[in-house]
Amino acid sequence: MSDATGWYPIGKAESGGESQQLVTDQFEHEYDEYKLIRPTLDPLACVQVVKQSNIIPQCVEAYKTNVTGYGYALEYLPGQSDETAKTEWDIADRFMQTANLEESVEQLLSQLVEDLEHCGNAYIEVAHGGGLPAIYRIPPEYMRCTAPLEKVEMKYLRLVQGKVEEFTQSKWVRRYAQKRGTSITWFREFGAPGEGNEVIHLQLGNGTYGEPRWSGNSPGVVGSRKAEELNLDYFDNGRMLAMILTVMNGELAPQSIEALKGAKGKKSQGGILYLEVQGYDKGLTGDEKEKTSIKLDKLNDLLQQDALFLEYNREKRKETRSSFRLPPILTGESEDYNRATSDNARRIAEEQVFQPYRKWLMDEIFNKRLLPSIGVYRVKAILRSPKISDPDERKAMLDYLADRGLLVVRDLIPIAEEVLGTVIDESRYSDGYLDTPIAQLTPAADPFGVLEHGADPEEKLATVAKRLLRETRDRQHV
């Protein structure tokens, strides 16, 4: 009697689908030799985690779009104008356009935001070669720094009460090492005395190196990835055997075993499996009357759900997005939003997240460091922001201004130009007409009835704007 007991794999993968990332620290042999500080979180490992997350890339993209996507601008500081600082404006404008000849300022800043949100650190090389300096991004995985081992006298030039004054402060400074391949290039901290290029180190949080804002949610980020891989493995191979097949007083024929191996997937749905059994002349107890039979025993009567950990994934996405302080609408999750709630969510994110981020970024790079280093003290660089207005608040304000005679026809022109995307020639109209308060316009001066009681102020503005535009075009063709 042959032994037919055994395990027959039915399409089960030999290895799981769990992803594994091998990250090698290229500074591994330099920490002791050059007294470099080892980061708690390896930047390259952080980048790999972000790539496997199902929510962090969307959050980072939202930061890049909203922080740098509206461009930059220059502004005079309060009390300054062309009369007092035109020369500095020209220097700043030239520097912003030539600081990096391969990429725009917006592109460079977008890359720095990505580095900060991926691994908590961003590095800017400031190269001096005569004339205005050039700036370049250095990937964080190539950079390490020493402890602040040297105390130097740092000199600062700042505009105080309208005058440029020099300040001297003692500071412990670091040195920065960049490794590409096998060679190491050293940089000094920005502003420290010495030769060679400088580095501006931006970081999130405190400590020698920054940490990404999602670091506290890293178990959830990794857990979500493993849950998704477990789901994928379940859909491909199933969770476990559904039942045990037992043959009594016999064994399955070879062709039946092959049939069982192929009984999986779509091809087996709705079909009939025919099994052939070879019986023994005598049973295990020697009783010739023992019959040959097949028995099927279920291992689990509970049906597996279509996917595991769906609620777990939802919660972890919320927690990770919360670490970025972003509303769902900015990451493409806006099923329960309407116009009012979406505008309010965008306004809160703008006030609480993006505006402070823009100011911090431009101050740390340009306004406190690069611009004063080239003799610009009365001009600052800013990142523009979107125009987010509450329709109800705007309507109430327009009603108030129009009813009290504070809104004149001339005030409608900038609004008309913004709405219609054109330029209206003010010289075509008399000053008397343009300076007429809207509330004082008579029906004769308002032939289109745009000021009738109860009309929406937005519709008033649109109607007047179209009329002004039409009159301008008509006069141009005369």
Side-chain angles (χ1 to χ4, degrees):
M1 180 175 65
S2 62
D3 184 5
T5 303
W7 163 259
Y8 300 98
I10 303 179
K12 182 67 176 177
E14 296 182 359
S15 61
E18 181 178 333
S19 62
Q20 297 181 356
Q21 296 291 340
L22 181 61
V23 177
T24 302
D25 188 346
Q26 60 177 341
F27 284 88
E28 184 63 37
H29 304 293
E30 279 78 25
Y31 289 111
D32 293 334
E33 181 180 356
Y34 297 108
K35 297 181 180 180
L36 298 174
I37 297 177
R38 187 186 300 270
T40 304
L41 298 176
D42 186 275
L44 188 56
C46 291
V47 173
Q48 297 296 342
V49 171
V50 171
K51 289 182 178 180
Q52 295 193 19
S53 173
N54 60 9
I55 185 61
I56 296 179
Q58 296 94 303
C59 295
V60 175
E61 193 64 29
Y63 267 58
K64 291 167 57 179
T65 301
N66 287 276
V67 172
T68 68
Y70 302 98
Y72 78 91
L74 295 176
E75 287 185 352
Y76 284 118
L77 293 180
Q80 306 299 325
S81 64
D82 281 351
E83 296 180 357
T84 60
K86 182 61 168 62
T87 301
E88 291 189 14
W89 179 285
D90 293 339
I91 295 174
D93 185 41
R94 182 177 180 83
F95 170 66
M96 298 296 287
Q97 295 186 45
T98 62
N100 190 309
L101 297 178
E102 297 180 352
E103 297 175 321
S104 66
V105 170
E106 293 87 350
Q107 289 174 317
L108 179 63
L109 293 175
S110 177
Q111 295 171 9
L112 297 177
V113 170
E114 183 172 328
D115 289 341
L116 285 165
E117 301 309 320
H118 278 189
C119 58
N121 296 276
Y123 299 89
I124 307 163
E125 176 184 357
V126 183
H128 300 276
L132 298 176
I135 56 177
Y136 308 95
R137 167 202 174 238
I138 304 178
E141 57 266 29
Y142 298 146
M143 294 294 291
R144 298 293 187 272
C145 69
T146 67
L149 302 176
E150 183 181 3
K151 190 175 184 179
V152 300
E153 296 294 320
M154 300 280 286
K155 294 184 178 181
Y156 304 91
L157 292 174
R158 293 292 185 267
L159 183 67
V160 179
Q161 298 179 346
K163 296 182 180 180
V164 178
E165 299 183 22
E166 181 178 305
F167 299 87
T168 301
Q169 295 179 352
S170 297
K171 180 182 178 182
W172 291 91
V173 296
R174 307 176 188 274
R175 297 180 67 211
Y176 289 86
Q178 178 190 27
K179 184 176 181 181
R180 292 182 180 269
T182 58
S183 62
I184 291 182
T185 303
W186 289 93
F187 299 90
R188 57 194 170 97
E189 188 174 328
F190 186 85
E195 301 294 330
N197 291 348
E198 301 167 287
V199 159
I200 298 175
H201 180 194
L202 304 176
Q203 61 191 87
L204 299 180
N206 299 318
T208 302
Y209 299 101
E211 290 187 358
R213 63 185 77 244
W214 52 263
S215 60
N217 298 93
S218 54
V221 173
V222 177
S224 296
R225 178 70 180 194
K226 290 183 179 294
E228 291 179 346
E229 290 176 342
L230 181 59
N231 278 324
L232 178 62
D233 183 72
Y234 166 72
F235 289 131
D236 284 345
N237 303 307
R239 182 181 62 171
M240 60 180 294
L241 283 179
M243 62 185 64
I244 295 177
L245 184 148
T246 307
V247 180
M248 293 175 288
N249 198 34
E251 64 181 39
L252 289 176
Q255 58 269 29
S256 296
I257 294 175
E258 294 299 322
L260 279 173
K261 291 181 179 179
K264 62 183 180 68
K266 296 181 180 180
K267 295 181 180 180
S268 64
Q269 293 180 3
I272 298 176
L273 180 64
Y274 172 76
L275 298 178
E276 184 178 351
V277 179
Q278 298 174 350
Y280 300 142
D281 293 338
K282 295 182 180 181
L284 295 177
T285 60
D287 186 356
E288 297 183 0
K289 295 182 180 180
E290 186 175 351
K291 296 181 180 180
T292 301
S293 63
I294 297 177
K295 182 181 180 182
L296 296 175
D297 294 309
K298 291 183 179 180
L299 291 180
N300 194 344
D301 289 333
L302 296 177
L303 293 177
Q304 176 65 58
Q305 297 178 357
D306 288 342
L308 295 168
F309 308 116
L310 286 178
E311 190 61 31
Y312 174 84
N313 269 331
R314 292 191 188 100
E315 291 302 318
K316 295 309 168 185
R317 284 175 64 91
K318 290 180 181 179
E319 291 176 4
T320 304
R321 188 176 60 246
S322 176
S323 67
F324 285 87
R325 302 174 64 197
L326 291 177
I329 191 173
L330 293 181
T331 56
E333 302 162 286
S334 56
E335 296 178 358
D336 57 345
Y337 275 76
N338 55 38
R339 171 68 182 272
T341 56
S342 64
D343 285 348
N344 189 51
R346 292 176 59 211
R347 184 180 301 105
I348 293 174
E350 177 66 23
E351 294 175 354
Q352 299 295 319
V353 181
F354 301 129
Q355 284 185 3
Y357 202 123
R358 294 188 197 101
K359 185 178 185 305
W360 170 77
L361 195 64
M362 298 305 279
D363 283 348
E364 291 296 311
I365 300 174
F366 296 103
N367 299 327
K368 291 182 179 179
R369 290 187 169 94
L370 291 174
L371 291 182
S373 71
I374 59 175
V376 175
Y377 312 100
R378 296 171 174 84
V379 178
K380 67 177 181 179
I382 64 168
L383 283 169
R384 293 192 178 99
S385 59
K387 295 181 179 180
I388 302 176
S389 61
D390 187 325
D392 293 333
E393 291 180 357
R394 185 172 182 177
K395 178 179 183 298
M397 178 60 71
L398 292 174
D399 274 334
Y400 179 88
L401 295 176
D403 292 343
R404 286 157 180 77
L406 300 178
L407 193 65
V408 299
V409 176
R410 188 187 303 277
D411 298 328
L412 300 178
I413 293 180
I415 301 176
E417 293 176 339
E418 179 183 347
V419 172
L420 301 177
T422 186
V423 177
I424 294 177
D425 185 6
E426 296 184 27
S427 63
R428 298 287 184 177
Y429 307 95
S430 65
D431 292 339
Y433 172 70
L434 292 178
D435 294 330
T436 303
I438 293 178
Q440 296 180 9
L441 288 177
T442 63
D446 182 29
F448 299 97
V450 300
L451 300 176
E452 66 179 72
H453 182 69
D456 189 330
E458 293 289 343
E459 295 180 1
K460 296 179 186 178
L461 294 177
T463 304
V464 174
K466 291 177 182 178
R467 187 183 67 184
L468 291 173
L469 181 63
R470 182 168 57 252
E471 292 177 358
T472 299
R473 289 174 176 172
D474 292 343
R475 294 181 182 181
Q476 289 177 346
H477 291 292
V478 175

